[in-house]
Amino acid sequence: MLEATPFVIAVAGALAYGFSDFSGGRASVRLPTLAVAAIAQGIAALGVLALLLTSGASLPRHGEAVLAALAGVGHVAGVLFLYHGIAHGRVAIVVPISAVSGLALPIVGDLVTGEAPALIHLAGVAIAILSVVLFGTSADAGPAASPVRTSVLLGLATGLGFGISDLGLGLMP
């Protein structure tokens, strides 16, 4: 049996996120994005509820509940924009921009609370921005894809939603 090391858990989580984002984006081509996101978030909420009930964890206190709600709203908004962007935008633009722009709010949050990112973290952000530029300027293989501007805006909106989510979670004790 394979031991659930942090590496195995991280890889499993990355695969699950990637599969769900791809599936949600593809389903949003045929169905309304709001319906697809509602189904995905409903399934996720059932999983969290099952985990809460079986783990014996206590419910969050008032301040934590506010941050959790902020994180939840940001995540749902991010999912909506991501699925819509995958379905109706240029994936090679939407996804990398959402990933890089999602870093902005947590970094600003760290700076506001007095934590400065390490040099290696800033180097990682610079490399990520470079990758967005390279992906965004590459030739699109898809037939008559949506305009670049729409894809950029959807990527930024997705990143903002996920950034709000990460900021809310990061501020929790």
Side-chain angles (χ1 to χ4, degrees):
M1 183 171 169
L2 187 61
E3 185 179 331
T5 64
F7 175 77
V8 171
I9 292 169
V11 170
L15 290 172
Y17 263 99
F19 177 75
S20 67
D21 289 346
F22 174 79
S23 299
R26 296 304 303 157
S28 293
V29 171
R30 293 183 291 281
L31 300 169
T33 303
L34 186 59
V36 174
I39 292 167
Q41 295 302 298
I43 292 169
L46 289 175
V48 169
L49 181 61
L51 185 64
L52 270 174
L53 294 174
T54 59
S55 71
S58 62
L59 292 175
R61 293 183 299 272
H62 177 69
E64 293 169 344
V66 170
L67 290 172
L70 174 70
V73 168
H75 186 80
V76 169
V79 166
L80 282 168
F81 287 117
L82 178 65
Y83 288 1
H84 190 76
I86 291 172
H88 305 290
R90 292 185 181 184
V91 175
I93 295 174
V94 173
V95 173
I97 287 177
S98 69
V100 173
S101 64
L103 296 171
L105 277 178
I107 289 173
V108 169
D110 282 348
L111 293 172
V112 167
T113 59
E115 294 183 44
L119 185 59
I120 189 78
H121 299 143
L122 294 175
V125 171
I127 291 169
I129 291 170
L130 177 62
S131 72
V132 168
V133 171
L134 293 175
F135 272 112
T137 57
S138 66
D140 187 4
S146 69
V148 172
R149 184 175 192 273
T150 300
S151 298
V152 168
L153 291 175
L154 287 168
L156 290 171
T158 300
L160 179 64
F162 288 143
I164 289 170
S165 178
D166 289 345
L167 182 63
L169 292 173
L171 291 173
M172 286 185 171

